[in-house]
Amino acid sequence: MIEMQDAAYGYGAEPLLSGLSLHLAPGSFHFLTGPSGAGKTTFLKLCYAELLPTGGQISIFGHTATGLSRDGIADIRQRIGVVHQDCQFLDHLPLTENIALPLTVTSKGGLVQESNLNELIGWVGLSARANAKPPELSGGERQRAALARAIIMDPDLILADEPTGNVDWDMSLRLLNLLVELNKLGKTVVIATHDLALIRAAKQRVQARVLRIQGGQIISAGADL
Amino acid sequence: MSLRKDLLGLMRGDSQADRVVPRSGQSARLTLATSAAMAFLAVFAMALSMASGRLADRWSDALAQSSTIRISAPPAELEAQTWAVLTVLEQTPGIESARALSDADQQALLAPWFGPDLPLDDLPIPRLIEITETTDGYDADGLRLRLAAEAPGAVLDDHSRWRTPLAEAAGRLRILGWLALVLILGATAAMVTLAAQAALSANAQVIRVLRLVGARDSYIALAFVRRFTVRALTGAAVGTGIGLLAIAILPSARDTAAILTGLSFSGTGWLWPLIIPPLSAATAFTATRIAAFRTLRGLQ
């Protein structure tokens, strides 16, 4: 699904990440952890080609990232659901339209029944907030809405960047459970977090692996929980 | 990035896609108002061009097949030279008819300047002969030589001396009118480009979100292109309507040679301004499309 071979990335002359070599297999569950500023978000951005490696090679769904055209990157992203830490919604649209946005922009809106959309909104527990605008939502509601938007296209890979960063513990567990459910449906899940309690909680629910970034490198790739 | 696909998308419309980009009141009003103003000016430029064209044609046609011979001679020789000239003209190929103006005709010609009571017999007024040419025309240089031999007081005036520069001036005015139209379209394109670039920059976050969820650049560009094209079309339609109304209520042309009172359309010419709104829309479509793809290429 995603293959990195000695991949590197740097915002300036100094590389932030280097020597990244790993394979994210279909249906696997990964935690990406490390101190703030270690490069967790950068790693995720490399996974969905928001950033392109400055060294080495990254293959996404069999396509070399640096060889992808703009349209190629857009097509790749239709197979990846991303949950950002700050969620990134269109504030002028109601929640329902924000969640359906991936369908709208790929002109697949007509393929999904309204009932399915409502079912998805219900699954993340936001039925009562369907017509609210994003600025009117709480942190937890925004995270759940972002998760719903991330999976509406039935993606093969879900990348979540600090999905529990702005929510309380109960909401964190609820979001974790949603992601575990998706993994059980065959989705590959990568969660970037520095919340070790969340990783421990996941141990009881799913077989996950931890990728720890330190000093610009993944130092414990493949370590079981 | 296919133009055909974008044109089809533009015509088909997509209400959901239109909602993806938030409406910006300022750029919308700016595009509408400027398109309307430009279309209003374009109607006048077109009217000026067409009126100049008509004037050039009129000045080219008027007197184009007529000439005048002026005979200035002592009173004793005037009649003889007049007959000599008429005889020469009868024998000259390309002359359809020739007629010596009577005293009454000459009096009528001079009346606007000297009044009706001009004592024509007391003044050394030259005799005028009016010539009408055939469609093939005559050899003016050859006629001048023959007149010099047969009637030394006769001078041929084929009107080209004053008619040609006037027709040329009107022709250039017509070109200036069309040039003004091209400049107006260029200014419209520049304005739309600036407004589109401002809208794209202001919506950088929206573009980031759209790309994040898998939108192609052609989809994002079309959302902006459609909006600006519709605004330009609407503004230009309003401006053209007002321009046509303003032209229609201008004073009518009583004096056919007067350019100011002749600034209007005639017959099917009234249909020509109807191309301004679609032309503005096409200009906006092209300008926004180029600006959108250029800006999107520059955005991370």
Side-chain angles (χ1 to χ4, degrees), chain A residues 4-225:
Chain A
M4 295 189 180
Q5 289 176 349
D6 199 25
Y9 186 83
Y11 289 97
E14 280 291 303
L16 175 66
L17 297 172
S18 61
L20 302 178
S21 293
L22 59 90
H23 172 67
L24 300 181
S28 56
F29 198 112
H30 304 265
F31 280 103
L32 184 65
T33 186
S36 294
K40 297 190 291 293
T41 300
T42 301
F43 178 91
L44 293 184
K45 285 183 175 178
L46 288 169
C47 288
Y48 64 90
E50 167 115 14
L51 297 175
L52 298 175
T54 51
Q57 194 170 304
I58 297 178
S59 167
I60 308 169
F61 300 122
H63 302 279
T64 305
T66 47
L68 286 168
S69 64
R70 283 258 183 225
D71 284 351
I73 291 173
D75 293 344
I76 288 283
R77 288 187 189 166
Q78 290 168 21
R79 299 177 63 186
I80 302 175
V82 182
V83 182
H84 264 271
Q85 188 175 8
D86 56 0
C87 300
Q88 300 208 354
F89 290 115
L90 299 183
D91 288 346
H92 64 287
L93 294 181
L95 189 64
T96 317
E97 288 186 49
N98 263 294
I99 290 173
L101 196 60
L103 300 169
T104 306
V105 302
T106 51
S107 305
K108 290 176 182 167
L111 299 178
V112 169
Q113 297 282 333
E114 199 176 331
S115 58
N116 292 345
L117 180 62
N118 291 336
E119 194 181 328
L120 176 63
I121 293 171
W123 182 69
V124 293
L126 289 173
S127 297
R129 307 289 280 150
N131 295 317
K133 299 273 176 68
E136 299 163 9
L137 301 175
S138 69
E141 288 171 333
R142 287 168 68 85
Q143 292 289 359
R144 280 181 281 151
L147 182 59
R149 186 183 66 186
I151 63 171
I152 198 164
M153 290 281 281
D154 192 22
D156 301 310
L157 171 65
I158 297 164
L159 304 171
D161 189 5
E162 299 284 4
T164 59
N166 297 318
V167 297
D168 58 29
W169 179 244
D170 285 345
M171 184 55 69
S172 295
L173 286 180
R174 200 166 159 187
L175 283 166
L176 178 66
N177 288 337
L178 291 174
L179 288 163
V180 168
E181 267 188 68
L182 290 167
N183 177 247
K184 284 177 179 166
L185 292 170
K187 314 294 179 194
T188 304
V189 178
V190 180
I191 302 173
T193 183
H194 59 262
D195 186 350
L196 295 178
L198 186 76
I199 298 173
R200 278 193 292 272
K203 188 178 177 183
Q204 298 154 11
R205 294 169 170 81
V206 68
Q207 187 179 1
R209 288 181 154 182
V210 176
L211 308 171
R212 181 168 175 78
I213 298 179
Q214 199 163 22
Q217 296 197 317
I218 291 179
I219 57 170
S220 55
D224 286 330
L225 271 172

Side-chain angles (χ1 to χ4, degrees), chain B residues 79-97:
Chain B
E79 202 61 24
Q81 286 204 23
T82 303
W83 280 112
V85 168
L86 288 171
T87 307
V88 168
L89 291 175
E90 266 179 30
Q91 295 162 356
T92 303
I95 304 279
E96 193 170 281
S97 65

